[in-house]
Amino acid sequence: MLSRALRKNLAAVVGGVSLTVAPFVMAARAHAAAQTYPTCQAEQLSLTLDDEGGAFNGMSQSGTLLVVRNIGAGPCQIQPLPLVQFANAAGHVLPVTRRAVGGPKPQPAMAAVAFMPEAELTALLHWVSGAVYDNAQCVSPATLVLVLPSGSLSQPFARHMCAPAGATAFFDQMPLRPDTVLPTAHPVAAPTATP
């Protein structure tokens, strides 16, 4: 399975016509919702996790990409920072929360993000995976749950997360944004002959 980063740099040749990967094609297919689209329903979305082959690992740090795909028939919009929860093997939600970006001050509201059928949005999750804190508390959730107003999506997680003693803020969460990796082929124009 090719990593998303590797697929981003691929080019293909089909039927003798050179095709190139458009690196920002998904930005054209998924964008901030300047106009109103229906709110995405849980049943029209799929969720996967992509560790990019360990690209986010190192120095007691780890991470993964949330990949949300629109598998519905039409465009829809979603809040860019949906609630992410973690559960144990029995399905009980663990006291694991997102760290506030820039500290505890109130965060500005962000516009919903719209995306078309078959398009994807991604968000990086990042956490400390080693017991680097004094009296660190660590958990190994069995499941990641993405909570939406209309339901939830879940994926097996099985990763190790640590936080300082007495803290519940275990991870950083970036906003969902258009995925710029999925390739879409565009024919390369033949050079124009000059007299």
Side-chain angles (χ1 to χ4, degrees), residues 62-125:
S62 193
T64 192
L65 283 178
L66 292 179
V67 183
V68 179
R69 186 178 184 89
N70 182 351
I71 58 174
C76 65
Q77 67 182 33
I78 186 172
Q79 291 303 310
L81 280 174
L83 176 63
V84 173
Q85 294 181 329
F86 295 88
N88 62 19
H92 298 135
V93 175
L94 299 171
V96 173
T97 60
R98 173 174 59 91
R99 287 189 286 254
V101 177
K105 63 184 179 184
Q107 302 298 307
M110 289 186 281
V113 181
F115 60 145
M116 301 298 161
E118 301 307 316
E120 292 181 344
L121 301 176
T122 61
L124 175 64
L125 298 185

Side-chain angles (χ1 to χ4, degrees), residues 29 42 57 59 64 67 73 80 91 97 103 106 110 114 126 129 133 135 152 157 159-160 165 171 177:
R29 297 182 66 197
N57 296 339
M59 299 296 291
T64 192
V67 183
T97 60
M110 289 186 281
H126 172 265
S129 56
Y133 305 107
N135 301 313
S152 62
F157 190 70
R159 294 153 174 90
H160 197 62
F171 67 98
R177 62 182 183 87

Side-chain angles (χ1 to χ4, degrees), residues 177-194:
R177 62 182 183 87
D179 177 33
T180 60
V181 175
L182 284 180
T184 294
H186 291 280
V188 174
T192 304
T194 55

